[in-house]
Amino acid sequence: MEEKKKQAKGVEDFEGYGADPLPGEGQFLDWSDRLFLEVYPEILNYGQKNQNLSGAFMVPMSQVAKGILEEYSIKMKNVTELASKAMAKSLNIKENCFLTQFAERAQHKARFNYYLRCQKPDLVLGLKPHSDVSGFTIILMDEESLQVLKDEQWFTVPKITEALLVLVGDQMEALLVLVGDQMEALLVLVGDQMEIMTNGIFKSPVHRVVTSSERERISIAVFYSPEANKEIGPEDGLINEETPRIFKNVKGYPDIYQGYYKKGQRALHVAKV
Ligand SMILES: O=C(O)CCC(=O)C(=O)O
Ligand SMILES: [Fe+2]
């Protein structure tokens, strides 16, 4: 515990080790311990930043841990490319169109969540209801507890061992994609920016994590987002007379999102036409 405290980030910082920044008035803290790191494109600078022990990279990592993080990040980069293409294909639009919107310096941020056992699981959440700001998020989990809101009801996302990639949209459809020879189940959760780029066809679901008094849980979420300050918008190929544009082109959406997230609110309406 002492060692953990030494590495903790400031209460206002987002990146680094510790709880999320203090939420706005009337909001609760989440029952989780997490490490949040930008891995792409920043991973290339990781060693340097680590030596300086500044900002988000105050968490010293062993060479082994750094190696694993690098390897995982490279694999995740492949998965995001594969999933971006699969999503475009499923919509009958150009395979590379989403990759072009995410652009060369697309961001990958990894969040390592550790949800401790909780004495009052009926009163405390591991993560409050939210939608992700990302284009999409790839989640690896060891236990169930992630829930998605549909028709005002919470559904627990099952832990699947056979499937490799599952897309949870509004319809909880499954999209199976083969990722190398790895048999770990990965979940792809659509984020707000993909809802904008697909003109609302893929929905960014509201989700939360519940706690348990019996078991702890670990998950790794990799948030894949367009390059910083890149304007994004609905794909031309998805707009026609029958399905008119419902979202504007937007720039700097993550900043707008953060303001609403702190208040426990969604931000997507600001991008509506
Ligand atoms: O722990 C999980 O399964 C989900 C985490 C999540 O929703 C997030 O980090 O945004
Ligand atoms: Fe999330």
Side-chain angles (χ1 to χ4, degrees), residues 97-107 193 197 225-233 235 249-254:
C97 65
F98 294 128
L99 287 174
T100 308
Q101 290 221 52
F102 278 95
E104 205 165 318
R105 290 179 68 79
Q107 297 177 324
Q193 297 193 70
M197 288 189 261
S225 302
E227 187 173 298
N229 290 320
K230 171 97 178 29
E231 184 178 276
I232 58 148
E235 276 300 323
N249 283 11
V250 284
K251 206 172 159 180
Y253 179 76

Side-chain angles (χ1 to χ4, degrees), residues 36 111 113 115 127-128 130-132 137 139-141 143 145-147 187 189 207-209 217-221 223 261:
F36 191 98
R111 181 177 168 125
N113 293 304
Y115 303 98
L127 205 50
K128 65 178 177 221
H130 66 284
S131 65
D132 287 351
T137 309
I139 301 173
L140 180 67
M141 54 177 142
E143 297 282 349
S145 281
L146 172 63
Q147 297 188 330
L187 179 79
L189 202 74
H207 53 285
R208 69 178 188 183
V209 177
R217 176 174 181 269
I218 290 177
S219 70
I220 306 176
F223 302 93
Y261 180 81

Side-chain angles (χ1 to χ4, degrees), residues 223-255:
F223 302 93
Y224 175 56
S225 302
E227 187 173 298
N229 290 320
K230 171 97 178 29
E231 184 178 276
I232 58 148
E235 276 300 323
D236 287 342
L238 299 174
I239 298 171
N240 54 47
E241 265 181 25
E242 275 155 40
T243 54
R245 174 187 273 269
I246 60 167
F247 287 108
K248 300 184 269 205
N249 283 11
V250 284
K251 206 172 159 180
Y253 179 76
D255 292 336

Side-chain angles (χ1 to χ4, degrees), residues 30-265:
D30 297 317
W31 192 260
S32 81
D33 214 14
R34 95 305 187 263
L35 172 64
F36 191 98
L37 297 175
E38 179 168 341
V39 282
Y40 261 107
E42 282 301 322
I43 193 154
L44 306 172
N45 302 331
Y46 189 86
Q48 220 179 335
K49 285 204 182 180
N50 203 14
Q51 270 165 23
N52 296 341
L53 289 183
S54 66
F57 293 87
M58 280 172 80
V59 189
M61 269 198 191
S62 68
Q63 280 304 318
V64 176
K66 197 182 150 217
I68 294 171
L69 179 62
E70 267 179 18
E71 197 187 328
Y72 192 70
S73 308
I74 290 165
K75 287 205 165 135
M76 285 304 105
K77 199 160 187 289
N78 292 338
V79 173
T80 51
E81 281 170 18
L82 222 115
S84 300
K85 287 184 183 173
M87 288 182 191
K89 262 186 169 168
S90 75
L91 296 168
N92 281 328
I93 50 177
K94 280 200 203 111
E95 194 177 74
N96 280 336
C97 65
F98 294 128
L99 287 174
T100 308
Q101 290 221 52
F102 278 95
E104 205 165 318
R105 290 179 68 79
Q107 297 177 324
H108 289 233
K109 295 185 179 180
R111 181 177 168 125
F112 302 82
N113 293 304
Y114 172 47
Y115 303 98
L116 297 95
R117 239 170 272 180
C118 174
Q119 298 302 322
K120 302 234 180 282
D122 44 340
L123 295 178
V124 182
L125 287 171
L127 205 50
K128 65 178 177 221
H130 66 284
S131 65
D132 287 351
V133 64
S134 59
F136 55 89
T137 309
I138 300 167
I139 301 173
L140 180 67
M141 54 177 142
D142 66 348
E143 297 282 349
E144 291 181 350
S145 281
L146 172 63
Q147 297 188 330
V148 173
L149 189 65
K150 182 171 158 55
D151 301 331
E152 294 176 24
Q153 269 194 10
W154 290 105
F155 292 90
T156 301
V157 176
K159 188 169 152 28
I160 318 132
T161 48
E162 297 287 304
L164 296 169
L165 269 187
V166 180
L167 181 74
V168 179
D170 198 30
Q171 295 101 32
M172 274 222 178
E173 265 175 46
L175 167 82
L176 303 183
V177 184
L178 201 70
V179 188
D181 52 5
Q182 286 276 299
M183 283 308 287
E184 284 294 345
L186 292 171
L187 179 79
V188 176
L189 202 74
V190 171
D192 283 4
Q193 297 193 70
M194 199 63 173
E195 180 160 345
I196 296 172
M197 288 189 261
T198 61
N199 200 36
I201 298 177
F202 287 173
K203 302 276 192 288
S204 165
V206 171
H207 53 285
R208 69 178 188 183
V209 177
V210 292
T211 49
S212 159
S213 56
E214 276 148 37
R215 51 172 174 74
E216 48 189 39
R217 176 174 181 269
I218 290 177
S219 70
I220 306 176
V222 173
F223 302 93
Y224 175 56
S225 302
E227 187 173 298
N229 290 320
K230 171 97 178 29
E231 184 178 276
I232 58 148
E235 276 300 323
D236 287 342
L238 299 174
I239 298 171
N240 54 47
E241 265 181 25
E242 275 155 40
T243 54
R245 174 187 273 269
I246 60 167
F247 287 108
K248 300 184 269 205
N249 283 11
V250 284
K251 206 172 159 180
Y253 179 76
D255 292 336
I256 301 168
Y257 171 97
Q258 287 309 338
Y260 283 93
Y261 180 81
K262 273 196 159 186
K263 292 186 266 178
Q265 293 170 8

